[in-house]
Amino acid sequence: MVSAEPIAEHRRRLSVRNYDLAATLDSGQAFRWKPQDAAWTGVIGHHWVRLTRTSDGILAEAPADPGDWRWLEDYLQSDVDLQTILDQLPGDPPLREAIRQHPGLRLLRQDPWECLASFILSSTKQIRHIKQIVETLCSRHGTAVTTPAGTATAFAFPAAARIASLDEPALRSVGMGFRAPYLLEAARRVSSGRLDLVGLKRCPLPEARAALMNLPGVGRKIADCVLLFALGFTEAFPVDVWVMRTLQSAWFPDRKMILRELVSFSEQHFGPYGGYAQQYLFHHARTGAPAGAPPHHDPAG
DNA sequence: GTCCAGGTTCACG
DNA sequence: CGTGAACATGGA
């Protein structure tokens, strides 16, 4: 067995500074990326791709004709001027420290359905286990995509219509537990057109958020994840248990805050790129985190 | 065995 | 209206 598989024929070099692939692809935004030697492999839409950090950017390799590669640049947001965004975030020391720890952490722009479905599956689940469930869901119900010779078969994320064609027991057998009816209902609404996810990009944020929260199993946190990671609302600020702990301990050490108060604070405090701040705080809390974090946790997820 | 996990919902006071 | 338990499942 050959170790490092000689690469696919189709290549593209993206010129970008300040891009930490590992932090970006493995910080709990997306759940399907796997480390392979010094690279990361994954599936974006129906494209299998392998990404490697180079001195001046990112090398992308694909086994099949990838077309114009715009799908990749859009996904990676490699044209985003990160420094300009960082300059517009507040100067709070805890935030600046989190940024200093992972200066190349970026936000992706994911497919809305995959993002929504994945985060419906995320509630009270460790990232490690979310990845497991998503992987099982894809391998059982996704269509196969072209992979390089010698590479294991890979699958696209199942379309909403495909999920909608299943029943609750079939979904439960994937291991998603009580989230099965939530995912099924979301799939039905999206595939039937009753919920137009892509159309939400053109709505005002409160309206888009309300439309998402109208789904069973989708509250403020999951809605904000979809707004931020897929629909382009960079001001969305998902407050999960990690971010909540960080805000409590680093911003309000002297007063016990309830979730609603922290959500309200973050909404008015972090500004139009607050979602970036949130991602730095989340990743920092999960990777380094001296204070406030629970003991023994494997950040590799 | 116990506790917790990128939450949300529902039942109670 | 605010609080707490229930919800499936797996790993530490």
Side-chain angles (χ1 to χ4, degrees):
Chain A
M1 197 59 187
V2 184
S3 55
E5 188 63 27
I7 320 309
E9 309 115 52
H10 302 91
R11 297 183 170 206
R12 170 79 161 209
R13 291 180 184 279
L14 304 180
S15 177
V16 56
R17 297 187 307 111
N18 208 15
Y19 203 118
D20 185 340
L21 268 183
T24 301
L25 300 178
D26 203 27
S27 57
Q29 308 179 55
F31 302 100
R32 300 201 60 200
W33 290 96
K34 297 173 184 171
Q36 183 200 57
D37 304 322
W40 291 85
T41 65
V43 178
I44 302 172
H46 288 265
H47 300 283
W48 183 99
V49 67
R50 170 177 157 141
L51 303 174
T52 311
R53 187 70 170 112
T54 64
S55 56
D56 60 348
I58 297 169
L59 170 64
E61 300 163 279
D65 183 2
D68 63 9
W69 290 99
R70 245 183 305 179
W71 54 272
L72 180 64
E73 294 167 17
D74 183 56
Y75 180 89
L76 293 175
Q77 295 282 286
S78 51
D79 287 339
V80 164
D81 182 351
L82 184 58
Q83 191 55 52
T84 298
I85 291 173
L86 299 184
D87 289 345
Q88 296 181 57
L89 293 176
D92 312 28
L95 174 58
R96 290 298 156 181
E97 174 59 16
I99 294 171
R100 195 184 66 77
Q101 291 286 337
H102 299 278
L105 173 59
R106 304 278 189 134
L107 287 179
L108 301 168
R109 179 70 56 86
Q110 302 178 54
D111 173 75
W113 164 244
E114 175 173 344
C115 185
L116 171 63
S118 298
F119 278 96
I120 284 175
L121 300 178
S122 76
S123 65
T124 55
K125 275 307 195 190
Q126 291 189 10
I127 290 180
R128 174 188 299 276
H129 194 210
I130 301 167
K131 289 177 179 175
Q132 272 182 248
I133 298 170
V134 168
E135 186 55 39
T136 304
L137 188 65
C138 291
S139 60
R140 283 200 198 172
H141 302 294
T143 60
V145 301
T146 304
T147 54
T151 303
T153 309
F155 300 89
F157 192 90
R162 169 63 177 166
I163 303 290
S165 75
L166 303 172
D167 59 8
E168 189 180 318
L171 289 175
R172 281 186 185 261
S173 76
V174 170
M176 64 185 71
F178 62 82
R179 304 157 194 84
Y182 298 154
L183 179 63
L184 185 56
E185 178 61 17
R188 285 173 174 165
R189 291 199 202 172
V190 169
S191 64
S192 70
R194 280 176 290 160
L195 175 58
D196 176 12
L197 284 178
V198 176
L200 296 183
K201 290 181 180 178
R202 282 177 292 282
C203 290
L205 178 135
E207 190 177 319
R209 177 184 283 140
L212 291 167
M213 291 178 66
N214 192 36
L215 291 163
V218 178
R220 169 73 178 237
K221 188 269 170 184
I222 291 176
D224 277 26
C225 285
V226 178
L227 294 171
L228 180 62
F229 301 141
L231 299 181
F233 291 93
T234 56
E235 66 270 50
F237 193 104
V239 180
D240 77 312
V241 57
W242 291 91
V243 171
M244 183 173 67
R245 285 189 198 121
T246 297
L247 291 175
Q248 173 70 73
S249 63
W251 270 263
F252 302 98
D254 300 324
R255 184 162 84 86
K256 167 63 183 170
M257 302 285 278
I258 64 175
L259 175 59
R260 188 183 62 246
E261 294 174 312
L262 294 175
V263 169
S264 173
F265 167 74
S266 62
E267 187 170 21
Q268 70 91 226
H269 182 72
F270 289 99
Y273 295 101
Y276 278 84
Q278 175 277 154
Q279 198 61 19
Y280 286 100
L281 295 176
F282 176 77
H283 192 56
H284 182 55
R286 277 181 30 87
T287 51
H296 54 60
H297 173 77
D298 175 12

